[in-house]
Amino acid sequence: ETVRAYQAAHGPAILRDFATLLAIPNVASDRTGIEANAEYIQAQMRAVGITTELWRIPGVSPAIYGALDSPGATRTLGIYVHYDGQPADPSNWTHGPWEPTLYNRAMPAGGQPIAMPEDGAVIDPEWRIYARSAGDDKAPLGALIPVMRALNEAGITPTANLRFFLEGEEEAGSNNLEAYLSSHRTELDEIDAWLFFDGPVHQSGRPQITFGVRGVTGMSLTTYGPRRPLHSGHYGNWAPVPGQLMADLLASMKNGDTGEVLVEGFYDTVEPLGEMERAALASAPDYDRELQYELALGGTEGSPASLAERLLLPSLTVRGLSSGNVGALARNVIPSTAEAALGIRLVKGNQPGHMMDLVEAHIRSQGYHIVYEEPSDDVLRAHPKVIRVSRDSGYPAARTEMDHPAVQPIIAAARRATDQEMVLLPAMGGSLPLYLFTDMLGKPALIVPVANHDNNQHAPDENLRVANLWYAMDLYATLLTAR
Amino acid sequence: ETVRAYQAAHGPAILRDFATLLAIPNVASDRTGIEANAEYIQAQMRAVGITTELWRIPGVSPAIYGALDSPGATRTLGIYVHYDGQPADPSNWTHGPWEPTLYNRAMPAGGQPIAMPEDGAVIDPEWRIYARSAGDDKAPLGALIPVMRALNEAGITPTANLRFFLEGEEEAGSNNLEAYLSSHRTELDEIDAWLFFDGPVHQSGRPQITFGVRGVTGMSLTTYGPRRPLHSGHYGNWAPVPGQLMADLLASMKNGDTGEVLVEGFYDTVEPLGEMERAALASAPDYDRELQYELALGGTEGSPASLAERLLLPSLTVRGLSSGNVGALARNVIPSTAEAALGIRLVKGNQPGHMMDLVEAHIRSQGYHIVYEEPSDDVLRAHPKVIRVSRDSGYPAARTEMDHPAVQPIIAAARRATDQEMVLLPAMGGSLPLYLFTDMLGKPALIVPVANHDNNQHAPDENLRVANLWYAMDLYATLLTAR
């Protein structure tokens, strides 16, 4: 209630502060932008009384560590947020990815840009703020700071000691997360349970807590045609066409109609679900029909299996394809190369390296000679089909048991923050480096999302619905003050 | 000999004038650039005594018509050149496509940029000039104008009346060529035989005359996934993946290893070759092994069939592919669409519309609902698989009989312009709107190419080898003064 009053009184300032945070470019490879984010966020945390320090590994994004002890606290909660965002191709965005723009509705619903509100203005919770990381994953920071400020002003202290761990390269694969965590075991071993503030709520709009995540990895593939692009008339029917070779290869890996992955062994290491998880799945809301309508889908992969069921299997996704040019720039050539970006999601039991080995074995079975660097002309001459493979590192899936004693009070508190029925799911489809917390640090970890499901995370025109920012503040206030 | 002397004396000026012509942007859709080309070329033609006029159809590139009568001439030769060029994506070029740059060797041979030569400088015939249309198809203009100037200065008149027809939208599909030709039948019916100055010489470097061309058409295909790009974790395994659907479809159309097109009926309308054509084909130089080495190819489509044989069959080429992003910009999304640009080459007997009908029938057989405009959400919801098809207009193949009486003196003259053995081929792999001349106007037509085979036509870093410009001047001088 204290936080709701604060929200009503200071809403415009909360939105403006959030926009200031969103305006700082945050792609992990952008060193300058990342440092600016770390500095700004650290200052915000200190202003609400959190002790902070930057943990550093040379040449990569720093992790922001924060601590706030409260008198009489009997447990310690770890809070994870990542402050980096996915890369963005500005040409596909309506506004610049780091030019936060407020809309009076979602763009597809006919929303129009409006000015940031002045103090005292009435805020419509259906407004949306558009910017990279608005949903994934600066929204929790945009809510946490004003929650702490409201509690401070009211003289309320959290009921748990708090530890903040803010990662700066989650979208780049969390390559140094293990190093950061293992070199700070002393501080982190104090933590009893982790809360991951990341991801969208259920598509139905209902609040959600998730006990696990899929793992993730990916591969880049390049097929080769002639060393230089050739005239498609003078050489078409004779020179190998890299786009055709790539199409043949991808088609041999998966059936796009049924969604079945045809790579041998792809489903062999999947661990079966427990009984409690099966029950939770069965009672999850069925929102698939509405989703299909919203996304204008005439069919789905694996139909009639539900989305929730399909997310408990590993997936292979063509996330990018490129060869020559299409549309107005299409030319009558046989291009030199074709590139595909494959995304692979993993479930409990799958190991990233093993899954990529299976894909490589499949590629070899299609007659390819695999190289891992740009092939020389002699290598190309020596083999009828050459492919360059580049492997992401990736990480495995993770799951916390739904009946773990340390998480029961958290679930109870979260339920009090909302009038709607909480959706509990064994695992979400997206990925987080949760296994380092559950398996390496050995602690229970829950994912507590706040973003609207249509936040366009990882895509152009990412956005946060203002009502979801208000929900985040309610939720965090309840979680931090639960007895 | 007169022309050789002129070339020796004025070489640097000839190259500089050619560079001036190449510097004028000439994509058919660029109205300003096209008009600037037409004006410049017309002025050059008038300066050497050719009467010119611009034929116009509103809103499209003008055709440049020229006439030069000579006393005592007993026949009339038509000369075809196109002054427009393929579109160019500057980001893939070493220099701007319309910033002609001289190199002391080909780029892949380690060539370095050099300044345009001053008057009196010695010119190495291995120099290359890099610019869009250097080979395709401004090279003939760069040679014709100085040839005419040299003949004028020496008081030599051509032995045939000359008619020039310079097209300005060949690379855009020659959509108005039929209208231009049919509305000027009176002028064009005077012509006894047509010479097409376009295309590259044989890969062996030997001069070449070709009696036909393949026809050409093309199709753009767009497959659909979710209406907005989705997070590949939260939806991967459930939302259809447009890149996978496109791969499956393309793989069903053609076998990239063997080059066999699997579209039903694709080879059914191919007209068999005559005996003379078969004989010419058998005596053509076998340069395939060298080409494979040069292009770093470990195999070819249709192997062991030769390049020359394979060009006498229709082809289906993936000339472009695009979905989402690859490489550093790859993101963890399921993209909304995937696009493919298909090139189709036709041989004698194939009609463009019929061949595209066959491809569409194949697409339907794969379960697709075809639309020709951007589909509405309701259309997408109503069908499991929707594809947008856009058809190029295109035109059929054409061939002049090798024993046609009107072409025998031309062949004899061309043979005198070179010390090397002339390669005669029934048809080249590339396309020209030759059928309008052979079938509609009813005249024999020969393709007399001059560009080096590695001129990168239609591709980045297009170039002309200076030796080929000199060959063009020798050849044209001989053809124009043959008795």
Side-chain angles (χ1 to χ4, degrees), chain A residues 103-125:
Chain A
Y103 269 63
N104 61 1
R105 281 288 176 283
M107 286 182 186
Q112 295 297 322
I114 54 175
M116 279 286 162
E118 304 286 334
D119 285 343
V122 176
I123 293 176
D124 180 343

Side-chain angles (χ1 to χ4, degrees), chain A residues 62-383:
Chain A
I64 308 170
Y65 174 73
L68 179 67
D69 286 337
S70 293
T74 54
R75 61 204 176 104
T76 301
L77 283 180
I79 291 173
Y80 170 97
V81 178
H82 67 87
Y83 66 91
D84 69 315
Q86 278 274 316
D89 180 352
S91 66
N92 296 327
W93 284 63
T94 305
H95 305 277
W98 293 280
E99 292 163 15
T101 309
L102 196 62
Y103 269 63
N104 61 1
R105 281 288 176 283
M107 286 182 186
Q112 295 297 322
I114 54 175
M116 279 286 162
E118 304 286 334
D119 285 343
V122 176
I123 293 176
D124 180 343
E126 291 304 325
W127 287 356
R128 303 236 178 172
I129 187 161
Y130 282 86
R132 173 55 86 220
S133 295
D136 179 20
D137 182 34
K138 284 181 171 177
L141 300 173
L144 264 173
I145 299 295
V147 162
M148 296 301 300
R149 195 173 291 130
L151 295 180
N152 286 347
E153 287 187 9
I156 301 171
T157 51
T159 51
N161 294 326
L162 303 179
R163 298 292 178 266
F164 297 87
F165 179 82
L166 276 46
E167 192 187 3
E169 49 177 18
E170 196 271 339
E171 300 293 3
S174 295
N175 294 326
N176 301 284
L177 181 60
E178 182 169 357
Y180 274 126
L181 297 183
S182 55
S183 60
H184 292 278
R185 287 295 291 249
T186 322
E187 295 95 318
L188 301 175
D189 272 344
E190 300 171 358
I191 292 165
D192 298 304
W194 281 90
L195 298 178
F196 275 70
F197 290 165
D198 196 3
V201 300
H202 193 264
Q203 292 91 348
S204 62
R206 281 165 54 182
Q208 177 172 334
I209 290 183
T210 313
F211 293 76
V213 291
R214 286 204 283 193
V216 65
T217 189
M219 303 172 86
S220 279
L221 309 180
T222 305
T223 52
Y224 295 87
R227 218 18 163 174
R228 54 184 163 85
L230 293 178
H231 189 291
S232 63
H234 297 308
Y235 296 93
N237 247 9
W238 180 80
V241 180
Q244 184 70 50
L245 293 169
M246 185 61 83
D248 292 1
L249 178 60
L250 297 177
S252 74
M253 285 186 187
K254 179 172 165 177
N255 180 326
D257 294 352
T258 64
E260 190 192 2
V261 178
L262 308 169
V263 171
E264 201 176 320
F266 201 76
Y267 299 108
D268 288 359
T269 51
V270 175
E271 273 183 22
L273 289 183
E275 221 168 285
M276 205 158 168
E277 280 76 14
R278 288 200 170 278
L281 201 60
S283 72
D286 178 6
Y287 195 69
D288 288 14
R289 195 166 301 200
E290 287 85 344
L291 260 183
Q292 256 189 265
Y293 185 88
E294 180 190 326
L295 299 169
L297 294 177
T300 57
E301 286 188 359
S303 171
S306 72
L307 171 57
E309 288 173 80
R310 295 286 299 167
L311 298 184
L312 294 164
L313 287 174
S315 68
L316 183 70
T317 302
V318 179
R319 54 193 189 124
L321 268 183
S322 177
S323 183
N325 293 97
V326 299
L329 280 178
R331 287 164 301 130
N332 281 328
V333 296
I334 300 170
S336 278
T337 58
E339 271 188 85
L342 293 184
I344 301 176
R345 297 282 167 168
L346 313 169
V347 299
K348 198 81 180 147
N350 303 149
Q351 289 301 323
H354 174 66
M355 296 298 272
M356 290 189 281
D357 289 346
L358 294 178
V359 173
E360 287 196 25
H362 177 90
I363 292 172
R364 284 200 184 86
S365 79
Q366 301 297 306
Y368 278 95
H369 174 73
I370 295 181
V371 295
Y372 300 95
E373 300 291 336
E374 188 60 22
S376 69
D377 287 359
D378 282 341
V379 167
L380 290 171
R381 287 175 192 126
H383 306 274

Side-chain angles (χ1 to χ4, degrees), chain B residues 56-67:
Chain B
R56 285 196 180 276
I57 292 175
V60 305
S61 302
I64 308 170
Y65 174 74

